[in-house]
Amino acid sequence: MLPTAEEAAQALRDIDLISHRAAGFQDYRAESGQLILWGLFYLVGFTLTFCFPAQALALWGVLLVGAVAIGIRLAMNSGAGGGIALRYLGLITTMVAFVVAVHVVFWPVSGEQSAMIAPVFVSALYILRGIQLRPRYTVIGLVLGTLCLGGYLFLLPVFWPWMAMACGGTLILAGLWLRSH
């Protein structure tokens, strides 16, 4: 007996749902490595800023170049297809340009204010990505933004160690969380 039109339509909807969920898990798996990488970037960056504040700009620059190189390699190994390296560089370049532009427009800013720009921007990006694509990204963005902003508002005496753990730790734990699903 052949399926009815409604049964066939339901089967197609079920296949589409399964396909969407499988793509989500693949996306989470690929993103997990990036989250861990950038969590380590922030963990090391904020820790070194705390230890060597006078060399902060040079330290962040070296860390950024290293993280981008590793990030491109991770992206290329994720099987995301051709052109991933250029898209990755475009994304990072856009983020860096945004941070530089905010510094130019709002200069002078304190070191703590400067340190908040990228994490808050990343938080907003994850919230938006979660709203449009995958709900777990919304959770990551909300946790990251809340912890970083809370540290800035209420924990300035221990801001740098807090940011190392709040920003770096959140991204690392989020990467492990996505990897486990």
Side-chain angles (χ1 to χ4, degrees), residues 23-181:
F25 291 129
Q26 289 173 345
D27 184 44
Y28 287 148
R29 188 107 171 111
E31 185 71 17
S32 70
Q34 293 291 337
L35 283 164
I36 293 168
L37 167 67
W38 290 99
L40 290 169
F41 166 79
Y42 281 114
L43 180 72
V44 171
F46 286 127
T47 300
L48 290 176
T49 299
F50 176 69
C51 296
F52 308 103
Q55 291 79 29
L57 187 59
L59 292 168
W60 282 100
V62 169
L63 286 171
L64 181 62
V65 169
V68 169
I70 295 168
I72 288 172
R73 186 175 176 106
L74 285 173
M76 291 173 64
N77 290 339
S78 73
I84 188 68
L86 287 177
R87 288 193 308 270
Y88 192 84
L89 279 174
L91 176 67
I92 298 301
T93 301
T94 301
M95 293 173 73
V96 170
F98 173 82
V99 170
V100 169
V102 169
H103 277 87
V104 168
V105 170
F106 293 106
W107 191 260
V109 294
S110 70
E112 292 83 3
Q113 289 170 320
S114 176
M116 287 296 296
I117 297 169
V120 168
F121 183 60
V122 169
S123 172
L125 289 177
Y126 272 105
I127 291 169
L128 293 172
R129 189 172 181 196
I131 290 168
Q132 287 194 310
L133 191 60
R134 311 262 182 256
R136 290 183 186 156
Y137 292 137
T138 301
V139 173
I140 293 167
L142 288 171
V143 170
L144 177 64
T146 301
L147 290 175
C148 291
L149 188 58
Y152 179 78
L153 293 174
F154 303 112
L155 300 171
L156 276 180
V158 294
F159 179 78
W160 299 108
W162 173 260
M163 286 299 288
M165 296 309 297
C167 186
T170 296
L171 294 177
I172 292 168
L173 290 174
L176 295 172
W177 177 48
L178 292 184
R179 181 165 284 177
S180 70
H181 288 85

